Amino acid sequence: MKSLYFLTALLQIVAIYAQNNCNPKFYQCGGQTWKGSNCCNPGLQCVKINDYYSTCLPSSSSSNTSSNYNNNNYNTNYGNNNISNASNVQNASSNSGPIGYASLNGGTTGGQGGQTYTVSNQSQLESAVKKNEAKIIIINGIIKLTNDITLNSNTSLIGANKNSGITGAGLHFKNVKNIIIQNLKFSYCVGNNKDCINAQKSTNIWIDHCEFFNDRNHGKDYYDGLVDITHACDYVTMSWCSLHDHYKVSLIGHSEKNAAEDTGKLHITYHHNYFKNVGSRLPSLRFGTGHVYNNVYENVESSCVSIRMSAQALVENNVYRNAKRPISTNLDTPEEGYVIQRNNDFGNTANTNSITKIGSLNTVPYKYTADNTNSVYDIIRNKAGPQ
């Protein structure tokens, strides 16, 4: 009997010790290179996100989260994407990486295999992004910024839930590679660049399941772009994002005088994004090569897909609702672009198209599955943006 009492007391001590050394919500608790504690505080469960990263999530949602990822719903066919749990930390570093040009040039893996940092204020975020090694940075909640944040190479920046992100300023990176930005809200970006994301001379960028918005209460130049990719950036994918209430949304290639730097670069894929209550640049592409498919354009004031300055684009299976100039190749440019368009639903705006040059981009050098145009509107409205 004494031995039974002793064993019970010993188990209680072990349990207390384990609890004191367990991880709080959204902290890392496992992975191939993880050397810390594998347990989570009471009410939490350690959920595997990928081979390199597991995190502590509430027990009530852990089973759904684990099922979502381990059953590969976040798979290579984004048209069938089935992320449903609002508490999910997005799978930014799994083998099921981006579709599109960001999958080329060695692929885009972000901070895969690196240390994970959870941040909830500007000083913590600034400290984490300065590190040069591979890293996964999880933003928990909305961080109010007083200045733009600069990213280094091999970084995954992920929202802990559907209400995590930054406001007041944006992200800037230059001469870096291998960046993943996922599951984040960006708003009211009036920092140094006046862009929510400003990328220059950088390669392999994946922007996924994010939301971008400012407002249309000011003039169109009060803010700049939501996502601007310029100065010979290359191998970029933007997928499953919601972009709304803004004038100049996404500029690819900053200047008509930049042919020497940009020609042969700026390969970019836009798929499964929702553009609503916006002005133009969805995107505006100079000199580069674009694949634009399965996006929704709703209440667009000026123009949607603008391909100019000898750029080539394949524009397919998109849906346009009250969206002026769905596709144009000669808008505000001294040199036209080239487009192949197919299977698009222009609604009542087809007569405002201005495709003056037929392109040669019939196929793209990666695998993808385009959803049927008839189903795109409902799919995107329900699944674009943070989850």
Side-chain angles (χ1 to χ4, degrees), residues 305-331:
V305 181
S306 177
I307 308 300
R308 44 187 173 156
M309 298 303 296
S310 298
Q312 291 271 355
L314 172 60
V315 184
E316 58 179 337
N317 293 70
N318 300 287
V319 173
Y320 301 83
R321 294 287 181 267
N322 189 32
K324 292 183 180 179
R325 295 188 183 94
I327 307 171
S328 58
T329 58
N330 62 349
L331 184 63

PDB file of all heavy atoms in Angstrom, residues 305-331:
ATOM      1  N   VAL A 305      -7.098  43.683 -65.275  1.00  0.00           N
ATOM      2  CA  VAL A 305      -5.801  43.138 -65.684  1.00  0.00           C
ATOM      3  C   VAL A 305      -5.237  44.014 -66.798  1.00  0.00           C
ATOM      4  O   VAL A 305      -5.792  44.079 -67.893  1.00  0.00           O
ATOM      5  CB  VAL A 305      -5.940  41.681 -66.151  1.00  0.00           C
ATOM      6  CG1 VAL A 305      -4.573  41.130 -66.545  1.00  0.00           C
ATOM      7  CG2 VAL A 305      -6.577  40.829 -65.062  1.00  0.00           C
ATOM      8  N   SER A 306      -4.129  44.685 -66.516  1.00  0.00           N
ATOM      9  CA  SER A 306      -3.502  45.590 -67.486  1.00  0.00           C
ATOM     10  C   SER A 306      -2.117  45.055 -67.833  1.00  0.00           C
ATOM     11  O   SER A 306      -1.218  45.029 -66.978  1.00  0.00           O
ATOM     12  CB  SER A 306      -3.402  47.004 -66.910  1.00  0.00           C
ATOM     13  OG  SER A 306      -2.746  47.875 -67.811  1.00  0.00           O
ATOM     14  N   ILE A 307      -1.944  44.633 -69.072  1.00  0.00           N
ATOM     15  CA  ILE A 307      -0.688  44.031 -69.525  1.00  0.00           C
ATOM     16  C   ILE A 307      -0.059  44.978 -70.543  1.00  0.00           C
ATOM     17  O   ILE A 307      -0.637  45.239 -71.600  1.00  0.00           O
ATOM     18  CB  ILE A 307      -0.936  42.645 -70.154  1.00  0.00           C
ATOM     19  CG1 ILE A 307      -1.758  41.764 -69.202  1.00  0.00           C
ATOM     20  CG2 ILE A 307       0.377  41.978 -70.520  1.00  0.00           C
ATOM     21  CD1 ILE A 307      -1.112  41.515 -67.854  1.00  0.00           C
ATOM     22  N   ARG A 308       1.122  45.514 -70.247  1.00  0.00           N
ATOM     23  CA  ARG A 308       1.695  46.554 -71.098  1.00  0.00           C
ATOM     24  C   ARG A 308       3.212  46.423 -71.208  1.00  0.00           C
ATOM     25  O   ARG A 308       3.817  45.567 -70.578  1.00  0.00           O
ATOM     26  CB  ARG A 308       1.316  47.935 -70.570  1.00  0.00           C
ATOM     27  CG  ARG A 308       1.443  48.102 -69.053  1.00  0.00           C
ATOM     28  CD  ARG A 308       0.890  49.441 -68.610  1.00  0.00           C
ATOM     29  NE  ARG A 308       0.836  49.604 -67.166  1.00  0.00           N
ATOM     30  CZ  ARG A 308       0.832  50.772 -66.547  1.00  0.00           C
ATOM     31  NH1 ARG A 308       0.868  51.885 -67.245  1.00  0.00           N
ATOM     32  NH2 ARG A 308       0.768  50.846 -65.240  1.00  0.00           N
ATOM     33  N   MET A 309       3.806  47.261 -72.026  1.00  0.00           N
ATOM     34  CA  MET A 309       5.255  47.299 -72.212  1.00  0.00           C
ATOM     35  C   MET A 309       5.826  45.921 -72.543  1.00  0.00           C
ATOM     36  O   MET A 309       6.747  45.417 -71.903  1.00  0.00           O
ATOM     37  CB  MET A 309       5.944  47.892 -70.987  1.00  0.00           C
ATOM     38  CG  MET A 309       5.557  49.328 -70.675  1.00  0.00           C
ATOM     39  SD  MET A 309       5.845  50.475 -72.053  1.00  0.00           S
ATOM     40  CE  MET A 309       7.622  50.402 -72.246  1.00  0.00           C
ATOM     41  N   SER A 310       5.234  45.269 -73.588  1.00  0.00           N
ATOM     42  CA  SER A 310       5.693  43.980 -74.118  1.00  0.00           C
ATOM     43  C   SER A 310       5.542  42.807 -73.152  1.00  0.00           C
ATOM     44  O   SER A 310       6.064  41.712 -73.412  1.00  0.00           O
ATOM     45  CB  SER A 310       7.163  44.070 -74.571  1.00  0.00           C
ATOM     46  OG  SER A 310       7.299  45.016 -75.614  1.00  0.00           O
ATOM     47  N   ALA A 311       4.864  43.007 -72.034  1.00  0.00           N
ATOM     48  CA  ALA A 311       4.608  41.892 -71.130  1.00  0.00           C
ATOM     49  C   ALA A 311       3.710  40.862 -71.804  1.00  0.00           C
ATOM     50  O   ALA A 311       2.906  41.189 -72.683  1.00  0.00           O
ATOM     51  CB  ALA A 311       3.965  42.393 -69.848  1.00  0.00           C
ATOM     52  N   GLN A 312       3.841  39.607 -71.384  1.00  0.00           N
ATOM     53  CA  GLN A 312       3.027  38.505 -71.883  1.00  0.00           C
ATOM     54  C   GLN A 312       2.181  37.961 -70.729  1.00  0.00           C
ATOM     55  O   GLN A 312       2.668  37.829 -69.601  1.00  0.00           O
ATOM     56  CB  GLN A 312       3.911  37.371 -72.416  1.00  0.00           C
ATOM     57  CG  GLN A 312       4.660  37.686 -73.684  1.00  0.00           C
ATOM     58  CD  GLN A 312       3.844  37.347 -74.941  1.00  0.00           C
ATOM     59  OE1 GLN A 312       2.745  36.799 -74.866  1.00  0.00           O
ATOM     60  NE2 GLN A 312       4.406  37.693 -76.102  1.00  0.00           N
ATOM     61  N   ALA A 313       0.909  37.621 -71.019  1.00  0.00           N
ATOM     62  CA  ALA A 313       0.059  37.079 -69.958  1.00  0.00           C
ATOM     63  C   ALA A 313      -0.934  36.072 -70.522  1.00  0.00           C
ATOM     64  O   ALA A 313      -1.447  36.224 -71.636  1.00  0.00           O
ATOM     65  CB  ALA A 313      -0.686  38.190 -69.232  1.00  0.00           C
ATOM     66  N   LEU A 314      -1.196  35.036 -69.714  1.00  0.00           N
ATOM     67  CA  LEU A 314      -2.282  34.100 -69.943  1.00  0.00           C
ATOM     68  C   LEU A 314      -3.335  34.401 -68.881  1.00  0.00           C
ATOM     69  O   LEU A 314      -3.062  34.306 -67.678  1.00  0.00           O
ATOM     70  CB  LEU A 314      -1.781  32.664 -69.814  1.00  0.00           C
ATOM     71  CG  LEU A 314      -2.843  31.554 -69.833  1.00  0.00           C
ATOM     72  CD1 LEU A 314      -3.633  31.572 -71.139  1.00  0.00           C
ATOM     73  CD2 LEU A 314      -2.183  30.191 -69.613  1.00  0.00           C
ATOM     74  N   VAL A 315      -4.533  34.798 -69.325  1.00  0.00           N
ATOM     75  CA  VAL A 315      -5.601  35.223 -68.422  1.00  0.00           C
ATOM     76  C   VAL A 315      -6.787  34.291 -68.649  1.00  0.00           C
ATOM     77  O   VAL A 315      -7.415  34.319 -69.709  1.00  0.00           O
ATOM     78  CB  VAL A 315      -6.002  36.686 -68.695  1.00  0.00           C
ATOM     79  CG1 VAL A 315      -7.048  37.149 -67.695  1.00  0.00           C
ATOM     80  CG2 VAL A 315      -4.769  37.603 -68.633  1.00  0.00           C
ATOM     81  N   GLU A 316      -7.100  33.451 -67.645  1.00  0.00           N
ATOM     82  CA  GLU A 316      -8.094  32.411 -67.886  1.00  0.00           C
ATOM     83  C   GLU A 316      -8.945  32.107 -66.658  1.00  0.00           C
ATOM     84  O   GLU A 316      -8.510  32.241 -65.522  1.00  0.00           O
ATOM     85  CB  GLU A 316      -7.408  31.120 -68.356  1.00  0.00           C
ATOM     86  CG  GLU A 316      -6.374  30.578 -67.389  1.00  0.00           C
ATOM     87  CD  GLU A 316      -5.721  29.286 -67.868  1.00  0.00           C
ATOM     88  OE1 GLU A 316      -6.343  28.577 -68.690  1.00  0.00           O
ATOM     89  OE2 GLU A 316      -4.601  28.983 -67.407  1.00  0.00           O
ATOM     90  N   ASN A 317     -10.207  31.723 -66.934  1.00  0.00           N
ATOM     91  CA  ASN A 317     -11.135  31.232 -65.917  1.00  0.00           C
ATOM     92  C   ASN A 317     -11.331  32.215 -64.767  1.00  0.00           C
ATOM     93  O   ASN A 317     -11.443  31.817 -63.605  1.00  0.00           O
ATOM     94  CB  ASN A 317     -10.676  29.868 -65.380  1.00  0.00           C
ATOM     95  CG  ASN A 317     -10.753  28.772 -66.415  1.00  0.00           C
ATOM     96  OD1 ASN A 317      -9.965  28.765 -67.364  1.00  0.00           O
ATOM     97  ND2 ASN A 317     -11.683  27.851 -66.266  1.00  0.00           N
ATOM     98  N   ASN A 318     -11.363  33.501 -65.093  1.00  0.00           N
ATOM     99  CA  ASN A 318     -11.657  34.528 -64.098  1.00  0.00           C
ATOM    100  C   ASN A 318     -13.114  34.957 -64.211  1.00  0.00           C
ATOM    101  O   ASN A 318     -13.759  34.764 -65.234  1.00  0.00           O
ATOM    102  CB  ASN A 318     -10.741  35.740 -64.312  1.00  0.00           C
ATOM    103  CG  ASN A 318      -9.280  35.383 -64.200  1.00  0.00           C
ATOM    104  OD1 ASN A 318      -8.768  35.135 -63.122  1.00  0.00           O
ATOM    105  ND2 ASN A 318      -8.587  35.350 -65.336  1.00  0.00           N
ATOM    106  N   VAL A 319     -13.619  35.595 -63.148  1.00  0.00           N
ATOM    107  CA  VAL A 319     -14.994  36.078 -63.119  1.00  0.00           C
ATOM    108  C   VAL A 319     -14.988  37.572 -62.857  1.00  0.00           C
ATOM    109  O   VAL A 319     -14.333  38.050 -61.910  1.00  0.00           O
ATOM    110  CB  VAL A 319     -15.811  35.354 -62.030  1.00  0.00           C
ATOM    111  CG1 VAL A 319     -17.201  35.975 -61.893  1.00  0.00           C
ATOM    112  CG2 VAL A 319     -15.930  33.873 -62.341  1.00  0.00           C
ATOM    113  N   TYR A 320     -15.717  38.323 -63.685  1.00  0.00           N
ATOM    114  CA  TYR A 320     -15.798  39.776 -63.578  1.00  0.00           C
ATOM    115  C   TYR A 320     -17.255  40.176 -63.325  1.00  0.00           C
ATOM    116  O   TYR A 320     -18.153  39.779 -64.065  1.00  0.00           O
ATOM    117  CB  TYR A 320     -15.298  40.432 -64.863  1.00  0.00           C
ATOM    118  CG  TYR A 320     -13.859  40.079 -65.210  1.00  0.00           C
ATOM    119  CD1 TYR A 320     -13.553  38.891 -65.885  1.00  0.00           C
ATOM    120  CD2 TYR A 320     -12.817  40.927 -64.876  1.00  0.00           C
ATOM    121  CE1 TYR A 320     -12.248  38.567 -66.207  1.00  0.00           C
ATOM    122  CE2 TYR A 320     -11.500  40.617 -65.191  1.00  0.00           C
ATOM    123  CZ  TYR A 320     -11.223  39.428 -65.849  1.00  0.00           C
ATOM    124  OH  TYR A 320      -9.928  39.114 -66.170  1.00  0.00           O
ATOM    125  N   ARG A 321     -17.481  40.976 -62.282  1.00  0.00           N
ATOM    126  CA  ARG A 321     -18.810  41.462 -61.950  1.00  0.00           C
ATOM    127  C   ARG A 321     -18.741  42.978 -61.742  1.00  0.00           C
ATOM    128  O   ARG A 321     -18.075  43.444 -60.816  1.00  0.00           O
ATOM    129  CB  ARG A 321     -19.330  40.791 -60.673  1.00  0.00           C
ATOM    130  CG  ARG A 321     -19.563  39.284 -60.818  1.00  0.00           C
ATOM    131  CD  ARG A 321     -20.799  39.005 -61.662  1.00  0.00           C
ATOM    132  NE  ARG A 321     -21.073  37.571 -61.794  1.00  0.00           N
ATOM    133  CZ  ARG A 321     -20.645  36.821 -62.782  1.00  0.00           C
ATOM    134  NH1 ARG A 321     -19.893  37.352 -63.750  1.00  0.00           N
ATOM    135  NH2 ARG A 321     -20.951  35.537 -62.847  1.00  0.00           N
ATOM    136  N   ASN A 322     -19.427  43.706 -62.596  1.00  0.00           N
ATOM    137  CA  ASN A 322     -19.381  45.164 -62.531  1.00  0.00           C
ATOM    138  C   ASN A 322     -17.932  45.642 -62.491  1.00  0.00           C
ATOM    139  O   ASN A 322     -17.540  46.483 -61.678  1.00  0.00           O
ATOM    140  CB  ASN A 322     -20.141  45.682 -61.300  1.00  0.00           C
ATOM    141  CG  ASN A 322     -20.295  47.195 -61.305  1.00  0.00           C
ATOM    142  OD1 ASN A 322     -20.394  47.822 -62.358  1.00  0.00           O
ATOM    143  ND2 ASN A 322     -20.300  47.788 -60.120  1.00  0.00           N
ATOM    144  N   ALA A 323     -17.129  45.106 -63.380  1.00  0.00           N
ATOM    145  CA  ALA A 323     -15.690  45.375 -63.391  1.00  0.00           C
ATOM    146  C   ALA A 323     -15.303  45.942 -64.754  1.00  0.00           C
ATOM    147  O   ALA A 323     -15.312  45.221 -65.759  1.00  0.00           O
ATOM    148  CB  ALA A 323     -14.911  44.098 -63.105  1.00  0.00           C
ATOM    149  N   LYS A 324     -14.946  47.198 -64.794  1.00  0.00           N
ATOM    150  CA  LYS A 324     -14.621  47.852 -66.057  1.00  0.00           C
ATOM    151  C   LYS A 324     -13.258  47.380 -66.591  1.00  0.00           C
ATOM    152  O   LYS A 324     -12.365  47.067 -65.830  1.00  0.00           O
ATOM    153  CB  LYS A 324     -14.604  49.366 -65.870  1.00  0.00           C
ATOM    154  CG  LYS A 324     -15.977  49.965 -65.576  1.00  0.00           C
ATOM    155  CD  LYS A 324     -15.907  51.475 -65.465  1.00  0.00           C
ATOM    156  CE  LYS A 324     -17.278  52.075 -65.183  1.00  0.00           C
ATOM    157  NZ  LYS A 324     -17.213  53.550 -65.041  1.00  0.00           N
ATOM    158  N   ARG A 325     -13.152  47.386 -67.898  1.00  0.00           N
ATOM    159  CA  ARG A 325     -11.932  46.983 -68.600  1.00  0.00           C
ATOM    160  C   ARG A 325     -11.353  45.704 -67.996  1.00  0.00           C
ATOM    161  O   ARG A 325     -10.272  45.719 -67.386  1.00  0.00           O
ATOM    162  CB  ARG A 325     -10.893  48.098 -68.557  1.00  0.00           C
ATOM    163  CG  ARG A 325     -11.283  49.372 -69.296  1.00  0.00           C
ATOM    164  CD  ARG A 325     -10.089  50.329 -69.354  1.00  0.00           C
ATOM    165  NE  ARG A 325     -10.418  51.589 -69.976  1.00  0.00           N
ATOM    166  CZ  ARG A 325     -10.796  52.684 -69.307  1.00  0.00           C
ATOM    167  NH1 ARG A 325     -10.902  52.640 -67.980  1.00  0.00           N
ATOM    168  NH2 ARG A 325     -11.072  53.805 -69.942  1.00  0.00           N
ATOM    169  N   PRO A 326     -12.004  44.585 -68.144  1.00  0.00           N
ATOM    170  CA  PRO A 326     -11.489  43.334 -67.560  1.00  0.00           C
ATOM    171  C   PRO A 326     -10.045  43.038 -67.948  1.00  0.00           C
ATOM    172  O   PRO A 326      -9.226  42.680 -67.108  1.00  0.00           O
ATOM    173  CB  PRO A 326     -12.457  42.277 -68.109  1.00  0.00           C
ATOM    174  CG  PRO A 326     -13.719  43.025 -68.349  1.00  0.00           C
ATOM    175  CD  PRO A 326     -13.297  44.379 -68.815  1.00  0.00           C
ATOM    176  N   ILE A 327      -9.742  43.181 -69.253  1.00  0.00           N
ATOM    177  CA  ILE A 327      -8.381  42.927 -69.732  1.00  0.00           C
ATOM    178  C   ILE A 327      -8.024  44.012 -70.737  1.00  0.00           C
ATOM    179  O   ILE A 327      -8.798  44.310 -71.648  1.00  0.00           O
ATOM    180  CB  ILE A 327      -8.256  41.551 -70.409  1.00  0.00           C
ATOM    181  CG1 ILE A 327      -8.788  40.434 -69.507  1.00  0.00           C
ATOM    182  CG2 ILE A 327      -6.807  41.270 -70.796  1.00  0.00           C
ATOM    183  CD1 ILE A 327      -8.885  39.083 -70.199  1.00  0.00           C
ATOM    184  N   SER A 328      -6.842  44.585 -70.602  1.00  0.00           N
ATOM    185  CA  SER A 328      -6.390  45.585 -71.573  1.00  0.00           C
ATOM    186  C   SER A 328      -4.901  45.421 -71.822  1.00  0.00           C
ATOM    187  O   SER A 328      -4.146  44.995 -70.945  1.00  0.00           O
ATOM    188  CB  SER A 328      -6.695  47.001 -71.089  1.00  0.00           C
ATOM    189  OG  SER A 328      -6.081  47.256 -69.845  1.00  0.00           O
ATOM    190  N   THR A 329      -4.504  45.780 -73.053  1.00  0.00           N
ATOM    191  CA  THR A 329      -3.087  45.710 -73.419  1.00  0.00           C
ATOM    192  C   THR A 329      -2.540  47.068 -73.862  1.00  0.00           C
ATOM    193  O   THR A 329      -1.347  47.160 -74.188  1.00  0.00           O
ATOM    194  CB  THR A 329      -2.879  44.704 -74.565  1.00  0.00           C
ATOM    195  OG1 THR A 329      -3.671  45.107 -75.686  1.00  0.00           O
ATOM    196  CG2 THR A 329      -3.264  43.300 -74.138  1.00  0.00           C
ATOM    197  N   ASN A 330      -3.373  48.090 -73.882  1.00  0.00           N
ATOM    198  CA  ASN A 330      -2.921  49.389 -74.399  1.00  0.00           C
ATOM    199  C   ASN A 330      -3.325  50.542 -73.499  1.00  0.00           C
ATOM    200  O   ASN A 330      -3.441  51.678 -73.942  1.00  0.00           O
ATOM    201  CB  ASN A 330      -3.490  49.619 -75.803  1.00  0.00           C
ATOM    202  CG  ASN A 330      -5.021  49.674 -75.806  1.00  0.00           C
ATOM    203  OD1 ASN A 330      -5.669  49.354 -74.812  1.00  0.00           O
ATOM    204  ND2 ASN A 330      -5.589  50.085 -76.933  1.00  0.00           N
ATOM    205  N   LEU A 331      -3.504  50.268 -72.213  1.00  0.00           N
ATOM    206  CA  LEU A 331      -3.993  51.290 -71.294  1.00  0.00           C
ATOM    207  C   LEU A 331      -2.827  52.086 -70.701  1.00  0.00           C
ATOM    208  O   LEU A 331      -1.959  51.525 -70.028  1.00  0.00           O
ATOM    209  CB  LEU A 331      -4.806  50.641 -70.174  1.00  0.00           C
ATOM    210  CG  LEU A 331      -5.474  51.582 -69.176  1.00  0.00           C
ATOM    211  CD1 LEU A 331      -6.505  52.462 -69.859  1.00  0.00           C
ATOM    212  CD2 LEU A 331      -6.120  50.779 -68.043  1.00  0.00           C
TER     213      LEU A 331
END
